[in-house]
Amino acid sequence: TQLEGDRRQNLVDELLTRHRQLEASYRNEGSEPDMSRSNLMAGGAKRGITNPWFLEESEETRGLGFDELRQQQRRIIEEQDAGLDALSSIISRQKQMGQEIGNELDEQNEIIDDLTNLVENTDERLRTQTRHVKMVDKKSTSCG
């Protein structure tokens, strides 16, 4: 639509303006560099569009230079790595415990299977002997 075309043309014009401002700031032309930088970064805030680069800096990083920020990031990454290593050792220990529990369960299942077979054999012999006793009892009552 015409409205969308106008909106896109405005965006292109704004990008060209920002491009010129950036080039001027690299050549140290125009106003103070910090001021032009903040103007460039805050450009979207004027129209109600939030710019992810124009956020409040946290207290932890305020006033730190590039190298200090890099060191802080490395320290944080090292702490995370140490935490991940600890988590890894805990998980591997739990895996080992799970495997040992599984092995113990296998042994217990074999014992239960052996007991089941013994009980079935004993039950079968008991039934056989019960039949023999009934037969002897029947014969003894018929003879008597």
Side-chain angles (χ1 to χ4, degrees):
T1 64
Q2 181 64 34
L3 184 61
E4 179 64 18
D6 291 342
R7 186 185 72 82
R8 290 184 182 190
Q9 184 62 45
N10 287 339
L11 289 173
V12 169
D13 292 342
E14 186 177 326
L15 282 174
L16 287 172
T17 303
R18 285 187 185 181
H19 178 70
R20 288 185 196 116
Q21 288 174 345
L22 274 173
E23 286 180 346
S25 69
Y26 282 127
R27 287 179 272 162
N28 287 329
E29 296 176 0
S31 64
E32 184 180 329
D34 288 339
M35 199 56 145
S36 65
R37 178 175 176 236
S38 63
N39 287 341
L40 284 173
M41 298 309 260
K46 296 174 190 169
R47 297 186 328 246
I49 300 171
T50 58
N51 188 339
W53 301 107
F54 191 66
L55 300 174
E56 287 295 319
E57 190 172 0
S58 69
E59 291 293 325
E60 299 166 344
T61 59
R62 188 167 291 148
L64 296 179
F66 182 74
D67 291 332
E68 293 165 331
L69 284 173
R70 184 179 288 172
Q71 288 174 352
Q72 183 182 22
Q73 287 176 343
R74 284 185 185 139
R75 189 173 49 252
I76 291 170
I77 289 172
E78 287 171 0
E79 289 172 3
Q80 289 175 347
D81 286 345
L84 289 174
D85 289 340
L87 183 62
S88 174
S89 66
I90 290 169
I91 290 173
S92 65
R93 176 69 182 136
Q94 287 181 339
K95 177 184 175 186
Q96 181 183 2
M97 288 171 57
Q99 289 172 339
E100 289 174 5
I101 290 171
N103 292 339
E104 183 67 26
L105 284 174
D106 290 342
E107 290 176 18
Q108 295 293 328
N109 282 336
E110 288 178 18
I111 292 171
I112 290 172
D113 289 342
D114 291 343
L115 279 173
T116 302
N117 289 336
L118 288 173
V119 168
E120 287 174 355
N121 291 340
T122 304
D123 185 51
E124 185 60 36
R125 284 189 288 160
L126 185 63
R127 288 180 190 201
T128 303
Q129 292 303 320
T130 304
R131 279 196 308 266
H132 287 142
V133 168
K134 284 183 181 178
M135 209 183 301
V136 167
D137 184 46
K138 185 177 179 183
K139 286 182 180 180
S140 71
T141 56
S142 65
C143 291

